[in-house]
């Protein structure tokens, strides 16, 4: 196995680890913190939208 | 525990909302704008030489430089007045209304995500070239493309200060390689290395070739408008946005002129017009291995810096639209510890990877450029409306751009010229992109508008606009 083959496998592996960490942390934060705390709205005084998501 | 973590925990305890962190200065704004663009000096700009010849490319370089100077001036005034993330989306939201805001927001996300994909493809392709030079033929670029996007997404996820501080280092190093190459070709001694007198020719396709070159002239500057996305994270947006943006466009005008000077002085226009990595090829012509390696490194650094800035900007635009419920409000969340729009960052990772895996660099870039062009077209219109609705003296403006309405008018006219130039070379792409955005607008009007926060249209405490 050449250096470049190893580098390719390493790149896949590190990418997988990073993406797993991002998803895990996002999931953990969503569980740990209240959704209201994380929702950043500049002006929440008069929410004129008439639909509901 | 960092200060940010302590602050967010305090906010949680007090029942407040997490906000983006105000930590950026003019240097970060410069790094964001120039960082996104600089890769265009290393590749892409040279297709303008293929359309209009060397002089045609120079004319395109300076005419499009004028277009982007107008963009930078308008951005400096409006964004320093409305210091909220979202950039031109926020400008359109305050000045024109929801439909234009939705379109501009979508253009921004598409432009930056596609440019990010193209940058990652460039990194992958350059590594394939390196592998071939070391005797390994047929290296698959995909793992390196994914690694580039994933690693930069992680950096953006962990905080904006480190992200843009790193971008400053990468961008400054990449820019330095252009300056070193300029010194290396001994410009004070024309004829020794530089051969302008032999290589510069008349316009090979006449003035219509110059018009066709305008579209590719955008590569010199595409992305400087991204400085606006940092507005809400600046310690002082009124100082940082104008200073970072205007020094950014000055840097790019210098870099673009140097790049043209170097490329056309060493490579014949017939070759330069279709080269994949023109600055690297220019360094090869000098015959100095150190310069060659330096320019190769500069190309990779510029591509990484560009992808990094694009992730920052695309996620801010997506986040802003989520916050105002132009998109599901779930995207409007801020990470309580890192204070970044973390859901928007994660959501756009697979989107960027999907674009990159198509491998269609030309199409991806064309879509990105046209999306950017649509943003600029609306900016000229919005600026005219902005000054009409809020004349000088009616609101606080940290920066007032000069000669109004001339720059807004010139911007609009130049955008129309570039549309014509694009139609000449990429008519089918232009029409299909317009069809995509029209379909998205219909979806927004019929299915999404009912959810939009009306009050989020105006987030600044200004007086009622003139005439309303």
């Amino acid at each position: 196995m050449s250096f470049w083959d190893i580098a390719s496998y390493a790149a896949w592996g590190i990418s997988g680890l990073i993406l797993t960490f991002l998803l895990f942390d996002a999931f953990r934060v969503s569980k740990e913190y209240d959704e209201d705390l994380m929702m950043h709205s500049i002006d929440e005084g008069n929410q004129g939208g008439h639909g509901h998501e | 525990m960092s200060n940010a973590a302590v602050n967010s925990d305090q906010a949680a305890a007090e029942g407040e909302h997490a906000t983006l962190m105000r930590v950026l200065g003019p240097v970060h704004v410069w790094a964001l704008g120039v960082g996104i663009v600089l890769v265009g000096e290393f590749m892409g700009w040279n297709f303008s030489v293929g359309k209009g010849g060397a002089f045609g490319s120079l004319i395109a370089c300076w005419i499009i430089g004028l277009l982007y100077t107008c963009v930078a001036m308008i951005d400096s005034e409006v964004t320093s007045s409305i210091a909220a993330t979202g950039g031109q989306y926020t400008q359109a939201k305050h000045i024109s209304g929801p439909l234009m805001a939705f379109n501009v927001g979508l253009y921004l996300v598409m432009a930056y995500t596609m440019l990010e994909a193209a940058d990652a493809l460039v990194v992958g392709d350059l590594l394939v070239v390196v592998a071939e030079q070391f005797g390994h033929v047929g290296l698959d670029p995909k793992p390196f493309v994914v690694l580039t996007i994933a690693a930069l997404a992680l950096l953006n996820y962990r905080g904006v200060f480190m992200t843009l501080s790193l971008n400053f280092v990468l961008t400054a190093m990449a820019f330095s390689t252009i300056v070193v190459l300029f010194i290396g070709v001994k410009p004070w001694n024309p004829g020794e290395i530089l051969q302008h007198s032999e290589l510069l020719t008349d316009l090979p396709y006449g003035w219509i070739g110059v018009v066709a070159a305008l579209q590719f002239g955008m590569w010199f500057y595409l992305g400087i408008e991204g400085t606006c996305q940092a507005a809400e994270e600046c310690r002082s947006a009124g100082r940082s946005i104008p200073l970072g943006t205007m020094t950014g466009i000055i840097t790019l005008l210098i870099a673009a002129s140097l790049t043209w000077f170097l490329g056309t002085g060493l490579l014949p226009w017939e070759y330069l017009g279709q080269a994949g990595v023109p600055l690297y090829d220019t360094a090869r012509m000098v015959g100095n291995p150190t310069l060659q390696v330096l320019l190769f490194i500069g190309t990779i650094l510029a591509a990484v810096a560009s992808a990094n800035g694009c992730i920052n900007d695309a996620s801010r635009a997506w986040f802003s639209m989520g916050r105002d419920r132009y998109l599901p409000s779930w995207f409007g969340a801020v990470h309580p510890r890192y204070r970044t729009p973390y859901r928007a960052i994660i959501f756009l990772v697979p989107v960027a990877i999907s674009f990159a895996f198509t491998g269609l660099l030309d199409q991806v870039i064309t879509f990105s450029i046209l999306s950017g062009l649509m943003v600029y077209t609306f900016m000229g219109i919005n600026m005219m409306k902005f000054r009409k609705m809020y004349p000088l003296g009616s609101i606080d403006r940290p920066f007032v751009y000069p000669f109004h309405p001339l720059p807004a008018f010139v911007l609009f006219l130049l955008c129309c010229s570039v549309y014509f130039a694009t139609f000449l070379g990429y008519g089918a792409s232009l029409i299909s992109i317009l069809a995509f955005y029209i379909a998205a607008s219909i979806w927004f009007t019929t299915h999404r508008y009912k959810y939009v926060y009306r009050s989020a249209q105006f987030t600044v405490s200004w007086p009622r606009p003139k005439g309303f």
Side-chain angles (χ1 to χ4, degrees):
Chain A
M1 190 179 279
S2 76
F3 166 79
W4 291 101
D5 292 325
I6 296 168
S8 295
Y9 286 123
W12 279 125
I14 297 167
S15 304
L17 284 174
I18 291 172
L19 295 176
T20 307
F21 166 78
L22 290 178
L23 287 174
F24 171 77
D25 188 70
F27 184 71
R28 183 188 62 78
V29 162
S30 297
K31 293 264 289 181
E32 200 172 305
Y33 291 89
D34 184 44
E35 193 71 6
D36 242 16
L37 168 83
M38 294 187 293
M39 283 302 159
H40 178 204
S41 179
I42 291 178
D43 179 3
E44 293 172 302
N46 177 24
Q47 295 162 2
H50 55 270
H52 296 283
E53 288 181 293
Chain B
M1 190 182 276
S2 67
N3 287 340
V6 171
N7 290 342
S8 64
D9 287 349
Q10 281 173 353
E14 293 162 12
E16 293 172 0
H17 296 275
T19 55
L20 298 175
M21 200 182 291
R22 291 184 180 278
V23 288
L24 303 178
V27 164
H28 299 101
V29 174
W30 179 91
L32 179 60
V34 179
I36 291 176
V37 184
L38 205 63
V39 68
E41 328 295 46
F42 287 85
M43 59 186 64
W45 68 272
N46 54 305
F47 298 132
S48 64
V49 178
K51 295 286 181 185
F55 280 125
S57 171
L58 184 63
I59 295 167
C61 169
W62 286 346
I63 287 179
I64 299 299
L66 181 63
L67 183 155
Y68 276 92
T69 304
C70 296
V71 166
M73 288 198 297
I74 290 171
D75 272 341
S76 294
E77 174 169 329
V78 184
T79 307
S80 61
S81 305
I82 313 168
T85 198
Q88 292 75 14
Y89 154 77
T90 307
Q91 296 175 14
K93 189 180 74 169
H94 281 83
I95 299 167
S96 286
L99 185 58
M100 185 187 279
F102 172 78
N103 271 284
V104 170
L106 198 58
Y107 303 157
L108 289 170
V109 173
M110 297 302 273
Y112 293 127
T113 309
M114 291 197 157
L115 193 54
E116 172 197 344
D119 291 328
L121 272 172
V122 167
V123 173
D125 289 345
L126 287 174
L127 288 175
V128 169
V129 173
V130 175
E132 279 175 5
Q133 287 184 352
F134 281 93
H136 184 94
V137 181
L139 178 72
D140 182 8
K142 284 192 178 75
F144 303 101
V145 169
V146 176
L147 180 61
T148 304
I149 293 172
L152 294 175
L154 176 66
L155 187 66
N156 274 271
Y157 187 94
R158 294 292 297 260
V160 71
F161 186 79
M162 178 54 82
T163 300
L164 295 187
S165 296
L166 178 70
N167 232 42
F168 175 74
V169 175
L170 295 176
T171 307
M173 287 169 70
F175 182 72
S176 303
T177 61
I178 299 177
V179 176
V180 170
L181 180 60
F182 179 69
I183 295 167
V185 298
K186 301 180 185 171
W188 56 84
N189 196 1
E192 184 181 339
I193 297 176
L194 292 169
Q195 303 295 329
H196 285 109
S197 52
E198 281 78 34
L199 293 174
L200 291 181
T201 60
D202 290 337
L203 300 174
Y205 303 115
W207 284 99
I208 194 71
V210 178
V211 173
L214 290 177
Q215 186 207 345
F216 295 103
M218 287 180 68
W219 285 68
F220 283 117
Y221 314 96
L222 180 76
I224 185 63
E225 75 282 359
T227 54
C228 296
Q229 299 292 343
E232 205 170 314
E233 292 160 282
C234 287
R235 288 188 296 271
S236 168
R239 176 174 178 269
S240 299
I241 294 292
L243 195 54
T245 307
M246 296 312 293
T247 51
I249 190 68
I250 291 167
T251 308
L252 291 173
L253 286 165
I254 294 169
S257 302
L258 285 182
T259 302
W260 178 89
F261 181 77
L262 289 165
T264 55
L266 281 158
L267 298 167
W269 75 271
E270 296 91 338
Y271 175 80
L272 185 60
Q274 47 81 43
V277 276
L279 265 188
Y280 176 69
D281 289 342
T282 305
R284 282 173 56 194
M285 291 298 290
V286 179
N288 181 333
T290 310
L291 278 179
Q292 201 174 323
V293 172
L294 209 58
L295 264 291
F296 187 85
I297 293 169
T299 309
I300 289 193
L301 292 180
V304 172
S306 179
N308 195 26
C310 285
I311 294 175
N312 181 90
D313 279 4
S315 62
R316 266 63 181 177
W318 196 255
F319 159 79
S320 303
M321 293 171 80
R323 179 166 68 178
D324 302 337
R325 289 173 59 175
Y326 281 70
L327 296 170
S329 58
W330 187 80
F331 291 114
V334 173
H335 196 292
R337 179 152 299 180
Y338 304 132
R339 312 273 290 276
T340 53
Y342 72 108
R343 286 177 182 161
I345 291 171
I346 292 178
F347 175 76
L348 292 173
V349 167
V351 178
I353 291 174
S354 307
F355 285 140
F357 274 18
T358 63
L360 301 170
L361 187 61
D362 284 358
Q363 295 300 321
V364 168
I365 282 286
T366 302
F367 204 117
S368 179
I369 287 179
L370 285 174
S371 297
L373 189 60
M374 289 182 190
V375 174
Y376 313 144
T377 310
F378 286 151
M379 278 178 68
I381 299 167
N382 281 337
M383 189 63 219
M384 303 284 249
K385 286 187 74 176
F386 183 58
R387 281 285 184 99
K388 206 171 172 187
M389 289 163 67
Y390 300 101
L392 290 182
S394 63
I395 58 168
D396 181 34
R397 284 177 164 85
F399 177 86
V400 177
Y401 87 94
F403 311 123
H404 179 79
L406 193 62
F409 194 64
V410 168
L411 174 60
F412 185 76
L413 280 182
L414 289 177
C415 285
C416 293
S417 309
V418 182
Y419 280 121
F420 177 66
T422 308
F423 186 75
L424 292 178
Y426 290 85
S429 297
L430 182 63
I431 290 166
S432 59
I433 288 166
L434 284 175
F436 169 79
Y437 284 120
I438 288 169
S441 298
I442 292 169
W443 171 82
F444 175 74
T445 308
T446 55
H447 288 88
R448 191 66 215 172
Y449 179 59
K450 60 188 174 191
Y451 298 117
V452 170
Y453 281 164
R454 303 286 189 279
S455 62
Q457 289 300 308
F458 300 98
T459 53
V460 284
S461 52
W462 286 344
R464 188 178 289 271
K466 194 179 171 188
F468 284 78

